Amino acid sequence: MTVFEELKARGLLAQLTDEEEIKELVNHGKATFYIGFDPTADSLHVGHFMALCLMKRLQMAGNKPIALIGGGTAMIGDPSGRSDMRTMMTPETIQHNCDCFKEQMSKFIDFSEGKALMVNNADWLMDLNYIEVLREVGAHFSVNRMLTAECYRQRMEKGLSFLEFNYMIMQSYDFYVLYQKYGCNMQFGGDDQWSNMLGGTELIRRKLGKDAYAMTITLLLNSEGKKMGKTQKGAVWLDPDKTTPFEFFQYWRNVADADVLKCIRMLTFLPLEQIDEMDHWEGSELNKAKEILAFELTKLVHGEEEASKAMESARALFTGGNAEQMPTAEMGEGDFKEDKIDILTMLAASGLVASRSEARRAVEQGGVTVDGEKVTDIKALFEKERLADGGIVLKRGKKNFRKIIYKG
């Protein structure tokens, strides 16, 4: 199976501009491709995961990735897939986020010996002047055509600023610069970036003539991947200080049954033959598949040792074993009365519920366990000594839990 065939078999590719030429480049290690990352936070999240895995996969096949950090475009914001205008950031914040991205990307991509590049579009965008943009870039774009792009049509209903309107031009200029400066002949992006990417391809051909070629490919589920990065309590980050390896493991361990094999196929580096054997797995076998998914992705981000610890802690939720990586909540002296703490106080103080009344409902509805044992008495008490000696595992529902310890 060729590299291109594997990308399709894994469900990674959607729209292409020139499939035969793309096959030639990718299969023979001739592609110099870029994927853009806007530094809107100081950590990448699982919404970026598919792009990072794709870059790693193509680099392993001899192709050269360029990680483009949008330090310049982040100054104005991208309207793609959004219903509101992005919050402005200071140059200092953007630079800090860029530095964090570089450290995290190095876990996926080999930047040594010219095997990959990391560049910041602020290096060329910030030096442009307005007249130059109008003459050299703006003249090649049709406003009528731009307004037909889905990303702009969505924003037009609530108001699209002229600032945001320029994002397509800036992203297109990125591809033009990367093509000229680094020989970048391919770009990848999510479905929501398709119009912006086509703008870059068209700009290269208009500026440099028909003989100039540049390819665009979209990732089938990259826009869906961005949704993957959101849970009820916020984003799932790749930074272990924001999302612990255990929490990261649990996120993937709890994916829906309908999504687990799709995620294994798209995001892991397991052989397709092995994944194909899982296609008919059902019931408890799907839980095994979820554990495989969680372990492989945690290993990729945090290393095999942390992945093994996370898996052990996850299993401890059901067996009462060692759960050292589990999210922890500390109970202080003020939480106890006569060296005992009640179940409602623990639930509220741990953050598993918003209030004591919510804690009461959770207990009465049978959704609370302590060390695997269901608690149905809202007056249930627990000894300080028990919390001081290794702590207890407090669980609300199927996916929300804390290791509760006493710290005087």
Short mmCIF file of all heavy atoms in Angstrom, two decimals, residues 43-50 52-53 56 100-101 103-109 236-249 251-252 267-269 292-308 310:
data_model
loop_
_atom_site.label_atom_id
_atom_site.label_comp_id
_atom_site.label_asym_id
_atom_site.label_seq_id
_atom_site.Cartn_x
_atom_site.Cartn_y
_atom_site.Cartn_z
N SER A 43 -0.96 26.25 24.73
CA SER A 43 -0.82 24.81 24.55
C SER A 43 -1.66 24.36 23.36
O SER A 43 -2.73 24.93 23.09
CB SER A 43 -1.28 24.04 25.80
OG SER A 43 -1.31 22.63 25.57
N LEU A 44 -1.16 23.37 22.65
CA LEU A 44 -1.97 22.69 21.64
C LEU A 44 -3.01 21.83 22.36
O LEU A 44 -2.81 21.46 23.53
CB LEU A 44 -1.09 21.81 20.76
CG LEU A 44 -0.02 22.55 19.95
CD1 LEU A 44 1.02 21.56 19.42
CD2 LEU A 44 -0.64 23.31 18.80
N HIS A 45 -4.11 21.49 21.68
CA HIS A 45 -5.11 20.61 22.28
C HIS A 45 -5.44 19.49 21.30
O HIS A 45 -4.85 19.39 20.22
CB HIS A 45 -6.36 21.39 22.71
CG HIS A 45 -7.02 22.17 21.59
ND1 HIS A 45 -7.67 21.56 20.55
CD2 HIS A 45 -7.12 23.50 21.37
CE1 HIS A 45 -8.15 22.46 19.72
NE2 HIS A 45 -7.83 23.65 20.19
N VAL A 46 -6.35 18.61 21.68
CA VAL A 46 -6.61 17.44 20.85
C VAL A 46 -7.24 17.80 19.51
O VAL A 46 -7.25 16.99 18.60
CB VAL A 46 -7.47 16.38 21.58
CG1 VAL A 46 -6.77 15.87 22.82
CG2 VAL A 46 -8.84 16.93 21.93
N GLY A 47 -7.74 19.02 19.39
CA GLY A 47 -8.23 19.46 18.09
C GLY A 47 -7.11 19.59 17.07
O GLY A 47 -7.36 19.58 15.87
N HIS A 48 -5.87 19.74 17.55
CA HIS A 48 -4.70 19.81 16.66
C HIS A 48 -4.10 18.42 16.40
O HIS A 48 -3.18 18.28 15.60
CB HIS A 48 -3.59 20.66 17.29
CG HIS A 48 -3.98 22.09 17.53
ND1 HIS A 48 -4.14 22.62 18.80
CD2 HIS A 48 -4.26 23.10 16.67
CE1 HIS A 48 -4.47 23.90 18.71
NE2 HIS A 48 -4.56 24.21 17.43
N PHE A 49 -4.63 17.43 17.08
CA PHE A 49 -3.98 16.13 17.12
C PHE A 49 -3.87 15.47 15.75
O PHE A 49 -2.85 14.91 15.39
CB PHE A 49 -4.74 15.22 18.09
CG PHE A 49 -3.90 14.15 18.71
CD1 PHE A 49 -3.07 14.47 19.76
CD2 PHE A 49 -3.92 12.86 18.24
CE1 PHE A 49 -2.27 13.50 20.34
CE2 PHE A 49 -3.13 11.89 18.80
CZ PHE A 49 -2.30 12.20 19.86
N MET A 50 -4.95 15.56 14.98
CA MET A 50 -4.94 14.92 13.68
C MET A 50 -3.88 15.53 12.77
O MET A 50 -3.18 14.82 12.05
CB MET A 50 -6.32 15.02 13.02
CG MET A 50 -6.41 14.26 11.70
SD MET A 50 -8.03 14.43 10.95
CE MET A 50 -9.02 13.57 12.15
N LEU A 52 -1.08 17.00 13.68
CA LEU A 52 0.24 16.59 14.15
C LEU A 52 0.56 15.16 13.74
O LEU A 52 1.68 14.85 13.31
CB LEU A 52 0.31 16.74 15.68
CG LEU A 52 0.23 18.17 16.21
CD1 LEU A 52 0.07 18.16 17.72
CD2 LEU A 52 1.46 18.96 15.81
N CYS A 53 -0.43 14.28 13.88
CA CYS A 53 -0.22 12.88 13.49
C CYS A 53 0.01 12.77 11.98
O CYS A 53 0.84 11.97 11.53
CB CYS A 53 -1.43 12.03 13.89
SG CYS A 53 -1.61 11.82 15.68
N LYS A 56 3.56 13.83 11.20
CA LYS A 56 4.49 12.77 11.59
C LYS A 56 4.46 11.63 10.58
O LYS A 56 5.50 11.11 10.16
CB LYS A 56 4.11 12.26 12.99
CG LYS A 56 5.00 11.13 13.51
CD LYS A 56 4.54 10.72 14.90
CE LYS A 56 5.37 9.55 15.43
NZ LYS A 56 6.75 9.96 15.76
N CYS A 100 5.64 27.90 23.25
CA CYS A 100 5.06 26.68 23.83
C CYS A 100 4.72 25.67 22.75
O CYS A 100 4.94 24.46 22.92
CB CYS A 100 3.81 27.03 24.63
SG CYS A 100 4.11 28.03 26.11
N PHE A 101 4.19 26.14 21.63
CA PHE A 101 3.85 25.26 20.53
C PHE A 101 5.08 24.51 20.03
O PHE A 101 5.04 23.31 19.73
CB PHE A 101 3.24 26.05 19.37
CG PHE A 101 1.77 26.34 19.50
CD1 PHE A 101 1.15 26.33 20.74
CD2 PHE A 101 1.00 26.63 18.40
CE1 PHE A 101 -0.21 26.59 20.88
CE2 PHE A 101 -0.36 26.89 18.50
CZ PHE A 101 -0.96 26.88 19.75
N GLU A 103 7.83 23.65 21.50
CA GLU A 103 8.25 22.58 22.41
C GLU A 103 7.35 21.36 22.28
O GLU A 103 7.83 20.22 22.25
CB GLU A 103 8.25 23.10 23.85
CG GLU A 103 8.71 22.07 24.86
CD GLU A 103 8.72 22.61 26.28
OE1 GLU A 103 8.51 23.83 26.45
OE2 GLU A 103 8.94 21.82 27.21
N GLN A 104 6.04 21.58 22.19
CA GLN A 104 5.12 20.44 22.10
C GLN A 104 5.20 19.74 20.75
O GLN A 104 5.12 18.51 20.68
CB GLN A 104 3.69 20.93 22.35
CG GLN A 104 3.45 21.37 23.78
CD GLN A 104 2.06 21.89 24.02
OE1 GLN A 104 1.25 21.95 23.10
NE2 GLN A 104 1.76 22.30 25.24
N MET A 105 5.35 20.49 19.68
CA MET A 105 5.41 19.89 18.34
C MET A 105 6.64 19.00 18.18
O MET A 105 6.63 18.05 17.39
CB MET A 105 5.43 20.98 17.28
CG MET A 105 4.09 21.66 17.06
SD MET A 105 4.20 22.91 15.77
CE MET A 105 2.53 23.56 15.81
N SER A 106 7.69 19.31 18.91
CA SER A 106 8.93 18.54 18.79
C SER A 106 8.75 17.09 19.23
O SER A 106 9.58 16.23 18.91
CB SER A 106 10.04 19.20 19.61
OG SER A 106 10.35 20.49 19.09
N LYS A 107 7.67 16.81 19.96
CA LYS A 107 7.39 15.43 20.34
C LYS A 107 6.86 14.62 19.17
O LYS A 107 6.90 13.39 19.18
CB LYS A 107 6.37 15.40 21.49
CG LYS A 107 6.87 16.04 22.78
CD LYS A 107 5.81 15.98 23.86
CE LYS A 107 6.29 16.62 25.15
NZ LYS A 107 5.25 16.56 26.21
N PHE A 108 6.33 15.30 18.16
CA PHE A 108 5.75 14.63 17.00
C PHE A 108 6.65 14.70 15.78
O PHE A 108 6.70 13.77 14.98
CB PHE A 108 4.41 15.28 16.64
CG PHE A 108 3.33 15.09 17.65
CD1 PHE A 108 3.26 15.89 18.77
CD2 PHE A 108 2.36 14.11 17.48
CE1 PHE A 108 2.27 15.73 19.72
CE2 PHE A 108 1.36 13.94 18.41
CZ PHE A 108 1.31 14.75 19.54
N ILE A 109 7.34 15.82 15.63
CA ILE A 109 8.05 16.11 14.39
C ILE A 109 9.54 16.24 14.66
O ILE A 109 9.95 16.89 15.62
CB ILE A 109 7.51 17.41 13.76
CG1 ILE A 109 6.00 17.32 13.56
CG2 ILE A 109 8.20 17.70 12.43
CD1 ILE A 109 5.33 18.65 13.32
N VAL A 236 -9.13 19.79 26.14
CA VAL A 236 -8.20 18.73 26.51
C VAL A 236 -6.86 19.07 25.89
O VAL A 236 -6.67 18.94 24.69
CB VAL A 236 -8.69 17.35 26.03
CG1 VAL A 236 -7.68 16.26 26.38
CG2 VAL A 236 -10.04 17.03 26.63
N TRP A 237 -5.95 19.51 26.74
CA TRP A 237 -4.69 20.05 26.28
C TRP A 237 -3.61 18.98 26.16
O TRP A 237 -3.67 17.94 26.83
CB TRP A 237 -4.20 21.15 27.23
CG TRP A 237 -5.20 22.24 27.46
CD1 TRP A 237 -6.02 22.40 28.53
CD2 TRP A 237 -5.48 23.33 26.57
NE1 TRP A 237 -6.80 23.52 28.38
CE2 TRP A 237 -6.49 24.11 27.19
CE3 TRP A 237 -4.98 23.73 25.33
CZ2 TRP A 237 -7.01 25.26 26.60
CZ3 TRP A 237 -5.49 24.87 24.75
CH2 TRP A 237 -6.48 25.62 25.38
N LEU A 238 -2.58 19.26 25.36
CA LEU A 238 -1.42 18.38 25.28
C LEU A 238 -0.40 18.70 26.37
O LEU A 238 0.48 17.90 26.65
CB LEU A 238 -0.75 18.49 23.91
CG LEU A 238 -1.64 18.24 22.68
CD1 LEU A 238 -0.76 18.06 21.44
CD2 LEU A 238 -2.54 17.03 22.87
N ASP A 239 -0.50 19.86 26.98
CA ASP A 239 0.37 20.26 28.07
C ASP A 239 -0.04 19.50 29.34
O ASP A 239 -1.17 19.63 29.80
CB ASP A 239 0.24 21.77 28.31
CG ASP A 239 1.17 22.29 29.39
OD1 ASP A 239 1.71 21.48 30.16
OD2 ASP A 239 1.36 23.52 29.47
N PRO A 240 0.88 18.71 29.93
CA PRO A 240 0.50 17.91 31.11
C PRO A 240 0.15 18.75 32.32
O PRO A 240 -0.50 18.27 33.25
CB PRO A 240 1.75 17.06 31.37
CG PRO A 240 2.87 17.81 30.72
CD PRO A 240 2.27 18.48 29.53
N ASP A 241 0.58 20.04 32.34
CA ASP A 241 0.21 20.90 33.45
C ASP A 241 -1.23 21.39 33.33
O ASP A 241 -1.81 21.86 34.31
CB ASP A 241 1.15 22.11 33.50
CG ASP A 241 2.57 21.72 33.89
OD1 ASP A 241 2.73 20.72 34.62
OD2 ASP A 241 3.52 22.42 33.46
N LYS A 242 -1.82 21.30 32.14
CA LYS A 242 -3.20 21.70 31.93
C LYS A 242 -4.13 20.48 31.94
O LYS A 242 -5.26 20.55 32.44
CB LYS A 242 -3.34 22.45 30.60
CG LYS A 242 -2.73 23.84 30.59
CD LYS A 242 -2.88 24.46 29.22
CE LYS A 242 -2.44 25.91 29.20
NZ LYS A 242 -3.37 26.79 29.93
N THR A 243 -3.71 19.42 31.29
CA THR A 243 -4.46 18.16 31.27
C THR A 243 -3.47 17.05 31.62
O THR A 243 -2.53 16.80 30.85
CB THR A 243 -5.06 17.88 29.88
OG1 THR A 243 -5.98 18.92 29.53
CG2 THR A 243 -5.80 16.55 29.86
N THR A 244 -3.63 16.43 32.76
CA THR A 244 -2.67 15.41 33.19
C THR A 244 -2.70 14.22 32.23
O THR A 244 -3.70 13.99 31.53
CB THR A 244 -2.99 14.91 34.60
OG1 THR A 244 -4.24 14.19 34.58
CG2 THR A 244 -3.09 16.07 35.59
N PRO A 245 -1.62 13.43 32.19
CA PRO A 245 -1.65 12.22 31.37
C PRO A 245 -2.83 11.32 31.67
O PRO A 245 -3.41 10.71 30.77
CB PRO A 245 -0.30 11.54 31.71
CG PRO A 245 0.59 12.67 32.05
CD PRO A 245 -0.28 13.66 32.78
N PHE A 246 -3.22 11.25 32.95
CA PHE A 246 -4.37 10.42 33.32
C PHE A 246 -5.65 10.98 32.71
O PHE A 246 -6.47 10.25 32.14
CB PHE A 246 -4.51 10.35 34.84
CG PHE A 246 -5.76 9.64 35.29
CD1 PHE A 246 -5.83 8.26 35.28
CD2 PHE A 246 -6.87 10.36 35.71
CE1 PHE A 246 -6.99 7.60 35.68
CE2 PHE A 246 -8.02 9.71 36.11
CZ PHE A 246 -8.08 8.33 36.10
N GLU A 247 -5.85 12.30 32.83
CA GLU A 247 -7.05 12.91 32.26
C GLU A 247 -7.06 12.79 30.74
O GLU A 247 -8.13 12.58 30.13
CB GLU A 247 -7.11 14.39 32.66
CG GLU A 247 -7.38 14.59 34.15
CD GLU A 247 -7.17 16.02 34.59
OE1 GLU A 247 -6.27 16.70 34.03
OE2 GLU A 247 -7.89 16.48 35.49
N PHE A 248 -5.89 12.91 30.13
CA PHE A 248 -5.78 12.74 28.68
C PHE A 248 -6.16 11.31 28.28
O PHE A 248 -6.93 11.09 27.35
CB PHE A 248 -4.34 13.05 28.24
CG PHE A 248 -4.13 13.09 26.76
CD1 PHE A 248 -4.41 14.23 26.03
CD2 PHE A 248 -3.64 11.98 26.08
CE1 PHE A 248 -4.22 14.28 24.66
CE2 PHE A 248 -3.45 12.00 24.71
CZ PHE A 248 -3.74 13.16 24.00
N PHE A 249 -5.64 10.35 29.03
CA PHE A 249 -5.97 8.93 28.79
C PHE A 249 -7.47 8.71 28.92
O PHE A 249 -8.10 8.08 28.07
CB PHE A 249 -5.21 8.07 29.80
CG PHE A 249 -5.43 6.59 29.63
CD1 PHE A 249 -4.52 5.81 28.94
CD2 PHE A 249 -6.55 5.96 30.19
CE1 PHE A 249 -4.72 4.44 28.79
CE2 PHE A 249 -6.75 4.60 30.04
CZ PHE A 249 -5.84 3.84 29.34
N TYR A 251 -9.90 10.80 28.60
CA TYR A 251 -10.67 11.44 27.52
C TYR A 251 -10.84 10.46 26.37
O TYR A 251 -11.95 10.28 25.85
CB TYR A 251 -9.96 12.71 27.04
CG TYR A 251 -10.61 13.29 25.81
CD1 TYR A 251 -11.77 14.05 25.91
CD2 TYR A 251 -10.10 13.05 24.54
CE1 TYR A 251 -12.39 14.57 24.79
CE2 TYR A 251 -10.71 13.57 23.42
CZ TYR A 251 -11.85 14.32 23.54
OH TYR A 251 -12.47 14.82 22.42
N TRP A 252 -9.75 9.83 25.95
CA TRP A 252 -9.82 8.90 24.82
C TRP A 252 -10.46 7.57 25.23
O TRP A 252 -11.11 6.91 24.42
CB TRP A 252 -8.43 8.67 24.25
CG TRP A 252 -7.84 9.91 23.64
CD1 TRP A 252 -6.84 10.68 24.14
CD2 TRP A 252 -8.27 10.55 22.43
NE1 TRP A 252 -6.62 11.76 23.32
CE2 TRP A 252 -7.47 11.70 22.27
CE3 TRP A 252 -9.25 10.26 21.48
CZ2 TRP A 252 -7.61 12.57 21.18
CZ3 TRP A 252 -9.40 11.12 20.40
CH2 TRP A 252 -8.59 12.25 20.25
N LEU A 267 -5.79 8.26 13.99
CA LEU A 267 -4.84 8.91 14.88
C LEU A 267 -3.68 8.05 15.35
O LEU A 267 -2.64 8.59 15.73
CB LEU A 267 -5.59 9.46 16.10
CG LEU A 267 -6.71 10.45 15.81
CD1 LEU A 267 -7.39 10.87 17.10
CD2 LEU A 267 -6.20 11.66 15.05
N THR A 268 -3.84 6.73 15.38
CA THR A 268 -2.74 5.90 15.85
C THR A 268 -1.86 5.45 14.69
O THR A 268 -2.20 5.62 13.53
CB THR A 268 -3.24 4.66 16.60
OG1 THR A 268 -3.73 3.68 15.65
CG2 THR A 268 -4.35 5.01 17.58
N PHE A 269 -0.73 4.86 15.05
CA PHE A 269 0.20 4.35 14.04
C PHE A 269 0.19 2.82 14.03
O PHE A 269 1.12 2.19 13.53
CB PHE A 269 1.61 4.89 14.32
CG PHE A 269 1.72 6.36 14.00
CD1 PHE A 269 1.26 7.31 14.89
CD2 PHE A 269 2.24 6.78 12.78
CE1 PHE A 269 1.34 8.67 14.59
CE2 PHE A 269 2.32 8.13 12.47
CZ PHE A 269 1.87 9.08 13.38
N ILE A 292 -6.90 0.59 24.04
CA ILE A 292 -5.80 0.62 23.08
C ILE A 292 -5.63 2.02 22.52
O ILE A 292 -4.51 2.54 22.43
CB ILE A 292 -6.07 -0.38 21.93
CG1 ILE A 292 -5.98 -1.82 22.46
CG2 ILE A 292 -5.09 -0.17 20.78
CD1 ILE A 292 -6.42 -2.87 21.45
N LEU A 293 -6.73 2.66 22.14
CA LEU A 293 -6.69 4.02 21.61
C LEU A 293 -6.08 4.97 22.64
O LEU A 293 -5.17 5.75 22.32
CB LEU A 293 -8.10 4.48 21.26
CG LEU A 293 -8.27 5.96 20.90
CD1 LEU A 293 -7.57 6.28 19.60
CD2 LEU A 293 -9.75 6.34 20.83
N ALA A 294 -6.58 4.91 23.87
CA ALA A 294 -6.11 5.81 24.92
C ALA A 294 -4.63 5.61 25.20
O ALA A 294 -3.87 6.58 25.36
CB ALA A 294 -6.93 5.60 26.20
N PHE A 295 -4.20 4.36 25.26
CA PHE A 295 -2.79 4.08 25.55
C PHE A 295 -1.89 4.58 24.43
O PHE A 295 -0.87 5.23 24.68
CB PHE A 295 -2.58 2.58 25.75
CG PHE A 295 -1.14 2.21 26.02
CD1 PHE A 295 -0.61 2.34 27.29
CD2 PHE A 295 -0.31 1.76 25.01
CE1 PHE A 295 0.71 2.02 27.55
CE2 PHE A 295 1.02 1.45 25.24
CZ PHE A 295 1.53 1.58 26.53
N GLU A 296 -2.25 4.30 23.18
CA GLU A 296 -1.41 4.70 22.05
C GLU A 296 -1.26 6.20 21.95
O GLU A 296 -0.17 6.72 21.68
CB GLU A 296 -1.99 4.13 20.75
CG GLU A 296 -1.90 2.62 20.61
CD GLU A 296 -0.46 2.13 20.53
OE1 GLU A 296 0.37 2.84 19.92
OE2 GLU A 296 -0.17 1.04 21.06
N LEU A 297 -2.35 6.94 22.17
CA LEU A 297 -2.28 8.39 22.03
C LEU A 297 -1.60 9.04 23.22
O LEU A 297 -0.85 10.01 23.07
CB LEU A 297 -3.68 8.97 21.83
CG LEU A 297 -4.41 8.49 20.58
CD1 LEU A 297 -5.67 9.31 20.35
CD2 LEU A 297 -3.52 8.57 19.34
N THR A 298 -1.81 8.49 24.41
CA THR A 298 -1.11 9.00 25.59
C THR A 298 0.38 8.74 25.47
O THR A 298 1.20 9.59 25.84
CB THR A 298 -1.68 8.38 26.87
OG1 THR A 298 -3.10 8.56 26.91
CG2 THR A 298 -1.06 9.02 28.10
N LYS A 299 0.74 7.59 24.96
CA LYS A 299 2.16 7.27 24.73
C LYS A 299 2.79 8.25 23.74
O LYS A 299 3.93 8.69 23.93
CB LYS A 299 2.30 5.83 24.21
CG LYS A 299 3.75 5.41 23.94
CD LYS A 299 3.83 3.94 23.55
CE LYS A 299 3.23 3.69 22.19
NZ LYS A 299 3.47 2.29 21.73
N LEU A 300 2.04 8.59 22.70
CA LEU A 300 2.55 9.51 21.68
C LEU A 300 2.81 10.90 22.26
O LEU A 300 3.80 11.54 21.92
CB LEU A 300 1.54 9.59 20.54
CG LEU A 300 1.96 10.32 19.26
CD1 LEU A 300 3.18 9.68 18.64
CD2 LEU A 300 0.81 10.34 18.27
N VAL A 301 1.94 11.35 23.14
CA VAL A 301 2.05 12.71 23.69
C VAL A 301 2.94 12.76 24.93
O VAL A 301 3.77 13.67 25.08
CB VAL A 301 0.66 13.27 24.03
CG1 VAL A 301 0.76 14.64 24.71
CG2 VAL A 301 -0.18 13.38 22.76
N HIS A 302 2.80 11.78 25.82
CA HIS A 302 3.45 11.86 27.13
C HIS A 302 4.51 10.78 27.37
O HIS A 302 5.14 10.80 28.43
CB HIS A 302 2.41 11.79 28.24
CG HIS A 302 1.40 12.90 28.19
ND1 HIS A 302 1.73 14.23 28.38
CD2 HIS A 302 0.07 12.89 27.94
CE1 HIS A 302 0.65 14.98 28.27
NE2 HIS A 302 -0.38 14.20 27.99
N GLY A 303 4.68 9.86 26.44
CA GLY A 303 5.67 8.81 26.62
C GLY A 303 5.05 7.53 27.17
O GLY A 303 3.99 7.55 27.80
N GLU A 304 5.74 6.42 26.94
CA GLU A 304 5.19 5.11 27.31
C GLU A 304 5.04 4.94 28.81
O GLU A 304 4.07 4.34 29.29
CB GLU A 304 6.07 4.00 26.74
CG GLU A 304 5.48 2.61 26.93
CD GLU A 304 6.16 1.56 26.07
OE1 GLU A 304 7.11 1.91 25.33
OE2 GLU A 304 5.73 0.39 26.12
N GLU A 305 5.98 5.48 29.59
CA GLU A 305 5.90 5.32 31.04
C GLU A 305 4.65 5.99 31.60
O GLU A 305 3.92 5.40 32.42
CB GLU A 305 7.15 5.91 31.70
CG GLU A 305 7.16 5.75 33.22
CD GLU A 305 8.42 6.31 33.86
OE1 GLU A 305 9.35 6.70 33.12
OE2 GLU A 305 8.48 6.35 35.11
N GLU A 306 4.40 7.22 31.17
CA GLU A 306 3.21 7.93 31.65
C GLU A 306 1.93 7.26 31.16
O GLU A 306 0.92 7.24 31.86
CB GLU A 306 3.25 9.39 31.20
CG GLU A 306 4.34 10.23 31.84
CD GLU A 306 4.16 10.36 33.34
OE1 GLU A 306 2.99 10.38 33.80
OE2 GLU A 306 5.17 10.43 34.06
N ALA A 307 1.97 6.74 29.93
CA ALA A 307 0.80 6.05 29.40
C ALA A 307 0.48 4.80 30.23
O ALA A 307 -0.68 4.52 30.51
CB ALA A 307 1.02 5.67 27.94
N SER A 308 1.52 4.07 30.63
CA SER A 308 1.32 2.87 31.44
C SER A 308 0.76 3.22 32.81
O SER A 308 -0.14 2.55 33.34
CB SER A 308 2.63 2.11 31.59
OG SER A 308 3.11 1.66 30.33
N ALA A 310 -1.03 5.88 33.51
CA ALA A 310 -2.41 6.32 33.32
C ALA A 310 -3.35 5.14 33.15
O ALA A 310 -4.46 5.14 33.70
CB ALA A 310 -2.49 7.25 32.10
#
